[in-house]
Amino acid sequence: QVQLVESGGGLVQAGGSLRLSCTASGRTFDSYAMGWFRQAPGKEREFVAAISRSAGNTNYADSVKGRFTISRDNAKNTMYLQMNMLKPEDTAVYYCAAGFWPRREVALIRSPSYDYWGQGTQVTVSS
């Protein structure tokens, strides 16, 4: 029911910054918990960051804490991931995800908690 489209990926040198965007279809965006995950070649998909439906709660993976910031603009049906101080190990396909958790301010870290996924956007960090 929900379509998610990521954008903003690209090639950046170590220490640089990128901002990813995820735009969702529909008019119930503020009922969805949102999150970012990433997957490097040959590795499992891993949690990056999550934000609750009204941005009251956030969670970050330890590996990105202090470098990445998740945010959302419900009026624009858009979630963002500001990535600073990028490292080569951040190289991956980044996916946005949405989970229908109405009336709960949950920032979810487990992939089974999400029902809808975007197509992904490639982030490559060169050394």
Side-chain angles (χ1 to χ4, degrees):
Q1 290 180 322
V2 176
Q3 294 181 338
L4 305 172
V5 180
E6 303 98 332
S7 62
L11 175 65
V12 65
Q13 292 185 343
S17 298
L18 285 172
R19 190 176 79 155
L20 306 183
S21 298
C22 173
T23 299
S25 64
R27 297 184 181 273
T28 58
F29 185 68
D30 61 359
S31 294
Y32 286 85
M34 301 292 295
W36 289 98
F37 292 76
R38 66 188 182 187
Q39 188 168 24
K43 296 186 177 181
E44 297 285 334
R45 183 176 296 178
E46 66 175 354
F47 167 74
V48 177
I51 188 166
S52 59
R53 63 183 185 90
S54 297
N57 290 304
T58 58
N59 279 311
Y60 295 92
D62 287 342
S63 59
V64 307
K65 196 171 296 182
R67 299 188 297 122
F68 291 9
T69 303
I70 190 170
S71 62
R72 65 192 294 165
D73 186 340
N74 288 350
K76 297 180 178 179
N77 276 24
T78 302
M79 174 183 63
Y80 306 95
L81 185 68
Q82 178 66 46
M83 304 185 295
N84 299 324
M85 301 176 63
L86 283 162
K87 305 175 181 179
E89 51 262 47
D90 294 319
T91 295
V93 177
Y94 283 70
Y95 299 90
C96 68
F100 186 62
W101 291 85
R103 293 171 275 115
R104 287 178 177 262
E105 284 289 328
V106 289
L108 305 164
I109 65 174
R110 297 174 60 251
S111 58
S113 300
Y114 295 92
D115 299 310
Y116 306 100
W117 297 82
Q119 84 287 355
T121 186
Q122 176 71 47
V123 172
T124 303
V125 184
S126 62
S127 59

